[in-house]
Amino acid sequence: MKVMLVIGARPQIIKSAPIIHKASKDVEIDLQIVHTGQHYDFEMSRIFFSELELPDPVANLGVGSGTHAWQTGKMMIGLEKTIKDLKPDIVLVPGDANSTLAGALAAVKLHVAVAHVEAGARSYDMGMPEEVNRRLTDHCSTMLFATTENCLNNLVKEGIPSGQIHLTGDTMYDALLQHQMKFQRTQVLERLGLRAGEYAVLTAHRPENVDTPETLKNIVEAMIQLSESTIVFPVHPRTIERLRVSDLLKSLKKAEHIRLVDPIGYHEMLHLVEKAKMVFTDSGGLQKEAFLLHTPCITLREKTEWVETVDLEANVLVGNSVEMVVRKAREYLATENLKTKLKKLPNPFGDGNASTRIVNALKDMIPVDI
Ligand code: UD1
């Protein structure tokens, strides 16, 4: 089975790593990795290949940054040619980035089957580009690898035949388990001068938060008000630019309890999240990783695709109102033994064997004409 895996954005590399390792060891699968070049900075791409010990892609399309249509279109043009050259039986696309949608569209239009890793996640908010990418990708996929029971139900509700859906669990959980020994040994706390349980982690990069100056200002204001807690903020390149343009970077730098750092790699980030008192984020992946590491999460959004974490009360949606963010954070800060409580929750993200199920399903696939 010739499988072409399309990746390009940071979280896609993490989600694919366990599949790449499993497939590379399997004689029945010939896996070729194609990088779109959506992310290109060392801290956004290369570091993950190195930490996750991944082979180099067979091609890098070097697309880079741009508007959604430009970026997705340019990727599609490059991927169309790559698919024609590599002639895969199936194109595998993980997650919900523009690289995901570009891979799915380029393949389906060439009548090549598409398999989607992380199918069925829904925030039901089409204002988020990721929701558009997820829905369209699912509806041009032949094989849909649903992360959770809820994801599977969403797909069934949308009329996808159940024979095409495989409940696999989350490959991000597989990756986290496989790297536990490594991430727990990093020196990130020493490097940043932090003490376990005595700081919070913040990440914010979603366009709905950082591209609107008013919204970004609210997040910054909330963080400044929370002066009773050290806050570590690894800043995404999109966000640093917006903070600069809107003149908010200066106020953040002035706040002594806030530590601005460059984007950090996989191992250090997991270690940082595991030892944090709480996480503030608008990332999808980090909501899940906080849950899996038993760290309470405050999500800076009105809606999430990972509703499981909210239903289990390990995560709370606060949008971007200063008052809501500060109130919830103070509530978490005042609660004892939160981590112990979170450790007792059931885990909806599988058993750490999602990648095995995915690779087995790919091998069992009978090539179809679509
Ligand atoms: C993308 C994904 C998002 C994911 C995120 C992880 C889409 C629609 N969104 O958002 O779901 O959570 O990746 O990071 O695909 N930039 C750099 N260096 C890089 C990459 C980006 O400086 O290596 C800057 C550029 O200014 C660029 C901006 O970041 O314009 C945004 O990058 P982009 O590829 O549009 O998507 P992300 O915001 O990273």
Side-chain angles (χ1 to χ4, degrees), residues 108 123 175 182 205 213 316 325:
V108 77
S123 65
K182 283 195 180 143
H205 71 277
V316 62
V325 178

Side-chain angles (χ1 to χ4, degrees), residues 9-11 38-41 44 64-66 68 71 96-99 129-130 133 205-207 236-238 241 283-284:
R10 178 169 65 174
Q38 177 171 355
H39 287 166
Y40 41 89
D41 287 349
M44 298 295 287
S65 305
H68 286 272
Q71 189 180 53
D96 54 14
N98 286 346
S99 298
E130 291 80 7
N133 294 342
H205 71 277
R206 288 295 180 96
H236 185 284
R238 174 201 281 276
E241 193 193 304
S283 143

Side-chain angles (χ1 to χ4, degrees), residues 115-183:
H116 185 202
V117 176
E118 217 178 75
R122 294 288 182 271
S123 65
Y124 296 104
D125 179 355
M126 287 292 266
M128 298 188 208
E130 291 80 7
E131 181 73 3
V132 177
N133 294 342
R134 280 192 285 266
R135 288 210 210 175
L136 298 181
T137 301
D138 281 341
H139 286 268
C140 45
S141 293
T142 304
M143 288 182 113
L144 297 97
F145 299 124
T147 313
T148 66
E149 198 94 37
N150 181 57
C151 296
L152 180 140
N153 293 336
N154 290 340
L155 294 170
V156 172
K157 270 189 259 161
E158 288 174 24
I160 307 234
S162 56
Q164 288 177 228
I165 312 169
H166 302 254
L167 179 61
T168 58
D170 192 353
T171 59
M172 277 187 109
Y173 183 41
D174 297 13
L176 186 147
L177 291 178
Q178 288 162 16
H179 287 262
Q180 202 151 24
M181 300 288 272
K182 283 195 180 143
F183 78 73

Side-chain angles (χ1 to χ4, degrees), residues 28 39 66 101 108 112 123 135 156 166 178 193 209 222 231 243 252 255 261 272 277 283 287-288 297 308 346 365-366:
E28 288 176 53
H39 287 166
L101 179 64
V108 77
V112 175
S123 65
R135 288 210 210 175
V156 172
H166 302 254
Q178 288 162 16
N209 274 333
I231 298 170
L243 286 169
L252 271 179
V261 295
L272 210 52
K277 175 86 180 166
S283 143
Q287 290 174 58
K288 288 190 290 180
C297 187
E308 299 84 350
M365 192 195 89
I366 300 150

